[in-house]
Amino acid sequence: MEDKQSWDWHTDLKEIPVKEWESQYNWAQDHMISPDGERVAVIANVDDMSFSICENGDLWDLEYEKIWNLKPLPSNGFAACVCQDDEWTLAVNGQVWESKFDFIWDLQVSLDGSFIGAAVQADSEYGMVVNDEPWDALYENITGMVMGEKGATAGVVQVESMASADVETFKKGIFSVALNGRPFENKYLNIWDLSFDQDNRKLCWGVRLDRETYSIAVNDQLWSSRFGSVWRPVFSPDGAVLAPVRHEGKWRLFKDDALFWKTGYEQLWHLCLCPGKEKIAAIVAPAYGKWSVAEDDSVWPLSIDTMIREIRYSADGTSLAAVVKDNGYWTLARDGKKWNLPCDKMFNPVLSADGSVAAAVVEQKGHFFTAVNGELVTGPYDIMSDPVISPDSTKILVKGIEKGVYKRRVIAL
């Protein structure tokens, strides 16, 4: 996780001209900003079929045939998928991994930046790589790739071959879950929504057993209950497995294969566990077409007519925010109350550690702004990245490009 204490929270404004990069190279695109706001990087076309990364105006030493999926890292560097001599790999801060593949995608980074993983293809087979160490075994297909915070990787893999339109083989189950490249024993009709426990030693996932029957598997052990459908299960801090399931005509929350919340909903999904506290939140539909948020089976006094996209707690668990679309506009709802700030788009919020501040990038009429506790504090910008709240919750770091100039601002709250 980012060491925010060591960042520069005292300089009000820092600027880097980025518009001039477009004239220095054939083109420059995909502006990415480091978490601390000190560095900006772009993919630059430096010559015919020759690309590099321009970081704060300086090119990385190496050039490549192709680059994509440029991504900032928690260490305030950058990584990107690169291709040279028709082989794909990962470049991290200009250093290229030794492992090479026919293709690489779905770049994933742990919160502290210690582990970087991705999905890979080699010789028409698929797997994963983490910190330049690829799986020993590859498979005919892979989907649903995940990486845990301690570097474990897993994915849904095809372990049985089948001919085109071979329905009978498909019905018997051709998919399993591979953990660090090794498949579990059981095969299923479908698998999705893999989740690690905190120690990266256990996995849980949703399975489809036949055309109409679903359940939850924990380290390949099926729950005895059968459901009409399931959403993504998650591990609680005590090791229990929580899962939204379709049961007796309603969506309900189960815990370790037993009914946990008493209420049945028209929909229940996107579980969010409160850090350090025994609180659970979920996006729910108490009635058809009416959305809200439930905490410990108690529904907010708020009805949203279109959708709720994201919910998240503050680090101390005192505040819960939800990105909602209601009456044709996006906004943020916090602890059951909507901001009076209609937006064309709202990005995922950030909350201060003590829950007192909520901030997010929003879009209005094609321009981007930063909103804090329901008020616009800066903008408009042409490009913005997520704001960062200072450790003491008294300042906010705003990062964006305005009229060809990248501006790093620190604003007192």
Side-chain angles (χ1 to χ4, degrees), residues 221-275:
Q221 299 299 309
L222 276 176
W223 282 3
S224 60
S225 299
R226 300 294 181 259
F227 308 106
S229 190
V230 300
W231 289 123
R232 178 176 179 260
V234 297
F235 284 94
S236 64
D238 63 3
V241 173
L242 298 154
V245 300
R246 181 79 173 172
H247 181 65
E248 297 180 347
K250 294 286 187 178
W251 281 92
R252 306 174 190 273
L253 185 62
F254 268 53
K255 180 177 181 180
D256 284 344
D257 203 11
L259 183 65
F260 186 52
W261 285 2
K262 294 181 179 180
T263 307
Y265 297 91
E266 293 300 310
Q267 184 57 269
L268 185 158
W269 59 357
H270 289 272
L271 299 181
C272 181
L273 275 60
C274 181

Side-chain angles (χ1 to χ4, degrees), residues 314 334 350-359 372-373 389 393-394 396 413:
S314 59
R334 189 172 167 209
V350 294
L351 285 82
S352 61
D354 63 3
S356 64
V357 181
V372 177
N373 290 348
I389 301 168
S393 305
T394 64
I396 186 164
L413 299 176

